[in-house]
Amino acid sequence: MTSITHENLPELVTRELSNKIIRNELKPGERIFEAKIAQELGVSRSPVREALRILERNRLVEMIPRKGVRVTKITAQHIKWFYDIFEALYGLVARKAAENADSEDIGNMSVALKKIENAAEKGDIESYFINIFEYASVGMKAARNPLLEQLIIELWPSSRRIQFSSLLFRADDLKKNVTYFQRCSKYVEQGNALMAEKVIQEYARNEEAFALKIVNGDKK
Amino acid sequence: MTSITHENLPELVTRELSNKIIRNELKPGERIFEAKIAQELGVSRSPVREALRILERNRLVEMIPRKGVRVTKITAQHIKWFYDIFEALYGLVARKAAENADSEDIGNMSVALKKIENAAEKGDIESYFINIFEYASVGMKAARNPLLEQLIIELWPSSRRIQFSSLLFRADDLKKNVTYFQRCSKYVEQGNALMAEKVIQEYARNEEAFALKIVNGDKK
DNA sequence: ACATTGTATACTGTCGACAGTATGCGCTGA
DNA sequence: TCAGCGCATACTGTCGACAGTATACAATGT
């Protein structure tokens, strides 16, 4: 163990495995062996087991008792299931944000929005992806439902995984996507809960369509 | 361990602790000690730790690294947060069920509905509670979104906990509640997704109001 | 050749022990 | 009397080892 850090091992292992799965270095359906991971990262199996429980919650792996752990698959079906939930939960966030945001929240959202706009302008996809999560984050703060926030954050790794494959192919429609966030911010400022929710739902369907195009092999 | 069963220890520990928390034998805010639980159940700390991770996912406990595990609180705020999500997720279930249910699903729902009606008629609260989860279960099968199903099932222990305190006080309005399920079933049969969703949302708000009455001390 | 059974092996499940850290209490000094 | 410090202790974190089980492969019989 070379680690000098103060952070705990399960989180470290989680992050490491999480990245490998999101980047598709660990393939869907692939088996994960506790001992192998433990050895690779220079820790014992205990923190690995903890990490696997966390990854299970993130829907990145599936644990079957006495049968082991596998990386979850992502088929077109999975993507539809995921975005139906995405639509419902983020729709709720937008609605609640429109109802509850104070001037500070609105300020934060506007800052986050600017970062998205800049990234889109420059075509910086990496920065764009970081900042849409930042935008979601301040939006969730404004919605004032920590339980909802938790649920969504636990699904973020799945979001990232689905979006990762798109990452390389979508430089073109980045600017179109920005308009969703701009409209959302506008409605939140106006306190128009109904429209804020609608815009985000539209955005979700758009993301879904894009993700489906990718898995269906219409890529490039 | 006297257990002859083939079931795994983490599940056993989870169930045991789960029941204690739901029945309010372990109080909100109370600390849980791994070693103590392990000794009580005659197992080592490993399966207890696994169980605690599961309970964390069920929102029954909160784990703070190096600080230990506590039973989560349930304030009026928590209940509002919970039912906002409840409304969104079950609303989605109802909508999707109305869109996707085949005749077998509708048959199953009708059987489950009858059981609820019987329980309500007899004023058998225990049976009523068992059967509304059964109804939800067949409804979720009809909705054909296993991810959504997972998310909801993981929240069930929280549902049970919130409803447990109500359990003794609500014999009176059981029959009124049944009408929600009756209307829901009707709309699902008709394929009326919009109204099915609306009914369930109404039901959620009604449950919320009841739970809030309880925690606010208007009980009895 | 193919099915069936036995066996080897490699993985998960569980344990007990040790290490490290947070917390409360008592001691000391102003 | 009270603040600050240090120590004791009890808990969580991590480990390595052993036990039990699923699986693949080989051997045997038909």
Side-chain angles (χ1 to χ4, degrees):
Chain A
M1 269 285 298
T2 64
S3 159
I4 325 141
T5 77
H6 211 253
E7 122 187 292
N8 50 355
L9 261 18
E11 267 179 45
L12 176 101
V13 177
T14 301
R15 194 150 28 84
E16 215 60 34
L17 286 176
S18 203
N19 283 335
K20 283 212 175 87
I21 295 172
I22 290 170
R23 296 172 178 282
N24 206 36
E25 292 164 23
L26 289 169
K27 301 269 186 296
E30 188 174 337
R31 184 97 183 263
I32 293 180
F33 299 109
E34 295 172 4
K36 182 162 167 279
I37 304 298
Q39 193 173 9
E40 275 174 19
L41 298 177
V43 298
S44 82
R45 278 173 56 216
S46 311
V48 175
R49 282 178 77 90
E50 307 259 327
L52 290 174
R53 286 280 181 196
I54 296 171
L55 291 169
E56 190 188 25
R57 188 177 345 175
N58 295 333
R59 322 286 153 179
L60 293 186
V61 307
E62 236 166 354
M63 306 177 75
I64 302 173
R66 303 188 184 276
K67 290 278 190 112
V69 177
R70 282 180 190 282
V71 178
T72 50
K73 302 205 170 119
I74 18 173
T75 63
Q77 274 287 304
H78 284 94
I79 288 174
K80 286 178 192 165
W81 296 334
F82 181 83
Y83 278 105
D84 277 346
I85 291 161
F86 189 100
E87 177 187 347
L89 293 183
Y90 275 113
L92 178 56
V93 169
R95 198 170 80 228
K96 289 291 167 182
E99 287 172 6
N100 300 327
D102 60 25
S103 58
E104 194 188 332
D105 295 317
I106 288 172
N108 292 337
M109 287 179 71
S110 132
V111 170
L113 177 60
K114 281 222 169 52
K115 289 190 200 164
I116 297 178
E117 289 169 342
N118 286 337
E121 193 59 48
K122 286 190 284 182
D124 183 343
I125 300 174
E126 187 115 10
S127 163
Y128 172 83
F129 268 93
I130 291 170
N131 286 306
I132 59 174
F133 283 101
E134 171 70 17
Y135 183 78
S137 192
V138 298
M140 292 193 296
K141 286 279 176 296
R144 298 205 160 64
N145 184 333
L147 176 55
L148 177 58
E149 201 175 336
Q150 266 187 29
L151 284 175
I152 289 177
I153 287 177
E154 285 170 10
L155 291 177
W156 273 2
S158 289
S159 276
R160 291 186 210 274
R161 181 153 82 127
I162 291 173
Q163 290 175 330
F164 179 77
S165 39
S166 348
L167 211 141
L168 301 168
F169 308 117
R170 67 184 315 165
D172 44 329
D173 60 358
L174 235 56
K175 284 183 193 168
K176 180 197 156 198
N177 268 317
V178 173
T179 62
Y180 289 113
F181 302 119
Q182 289 165 335
R183 282 196 283 152
C184 176
S185 278
K186 189 186 72 189
Y187 289 125
V188 168
E189 280 174 47
Q190 295 172 357
N192 189 338
L194 202 77
M195 284 309 293
E197 186 176 19
K198 272 225 153 47
V199 166
I200 291 301
Q201 289 172 342
E202 230 182 281
Y203 169 67
R205 297 297 35 141
N206 187 63
E207 287 292 302
E208 181 189 35
F210 197 90
L212 285 176
K213 262 203 300 190
I214 302 289
V215 296
N216 288 335
D218 313 355
K219 32 191 133 184
K220 266 179 204 156
Chain B
M1 269 289 295
T2 65
S3 157
I4 326 140
T5 78
H6 212 252
E7 120 188 294
N8 49 356
L9 262 17
E11 266 180 44
L12 176 101
V13 177
T14 301
R15 195 151 28 84
E16 216 59 36
L17 286 175
S18 205
N19 283 336
K20 284 212 175 88
I21 295 171
I22 289 170
R23 296 172 178 281
N24 206 36
E25 293 164 22
L26 288 168
K27 301 267 185 299
E30 188 174 336
R31 184 99 181 263
I32 293 180
F33 299 110
E34 295 172 4
K36 183 163 166 279
I37 304 297
Q39 193 174 9
E40 275 174 18
L41 298 177
V43 299
S44 82
R45 279 173 55 217
S46 311
V48 175
R49 283 178 76 91
E50 307 259 325
L52 290 173
R53 285 279 180 198
I54 296 172
L55 291 170
E56 190 188 25
R57 188 178 344 176
N58 296 332
R59 323 284 153 178
L60 293 186
V61 306
E62 238 165 354
M63 307 178 74
I64 303 172
R66 300 185 187 279
K67 289 278 190 114
V69 178
R70 281 180 190 282
V71 178
T72 50
K73 301 205 171 121
I74 18 174
T75 64
Q77 275 286 302
H78 284 96
I79 289 174
K80 287 177 191 163
W81 295 335
F82 181 84
Y83 278 105
D84 276 347
I85 291 160
F86 189 102
E87 178 187 347
L89 293 183
Y90 275 112
L92 178 56
V93 169
R95 197 170 81 229
K96 289 291 166 182
E99 288 172 6
N100 299 327
D102 60 25
S103 58
E104 194 188 331
D105 296 317
I106 288 172
N108 292 336
M109 286 179 72
S110 132
V111 169
L113 177 59
K114 282 221 170 51
K115 289 190 199 166
I116 296 178
E117 289 169 341
N118 285 338
E121 194 58 48
K122 287 190 283 181
D124 184 342
I125 301 174
E126 188 116 6
S127 163
Y128 172 84
F129 268 94
I130 291 169
N131 286 306
I132 60 174
F133 283 101
E134 171 70 16
Y135 183 79
S137 192
V138 298
M140 292 193 295
K141 287 280 176 298
R144 301 210 157 60
N145 184 332
L147 176 54
L148 176 58
E149 202 176 334
Q150 266 188 30
L151 284 175
I152 289 177
I153 287 177
E154 285 170 11
L155 290 177
W156 273 3
S158 288
S159 277
R160 291 187 209 273
R161 181 152 83 127
I162 290 173
Q163 291 175 330
F164 179 77
S165 38
S166 348
L167 210 140
L168 301 168
F169 308 119
R170 68 185 313 167
D172 45 329
D173 59 358
L174 236 55
K175 285 182 192 167
K176 180 196 157 198
N177 268 317
V178 173
T179 62
Y180 289 112
F181 302 120
Q182 290 166 334
R183 283 197 281 153
C184 176
S185 278
K186 188 186 73 189
Y187 288 125
V188 168
E189 279 174 47
Q190 294 173 355
N192 189 338
L194 202 76
M195 284 310 294
E197 186 176 19
K198 272 223 151 52
V199 167
I200 290 302
Q201 289 172 342
E202 231 182 281
Y203 169 67
R205 295 302 28 145
N206 187 63
E207 286 291 302
E208 182 190 33
F210 196 91
L212 286 175
K213 263 202 300 189
I214 304 289
V215 296
N216 289 334
D218 313 355
K219 31 192 132 182
K220 270 181 203 154

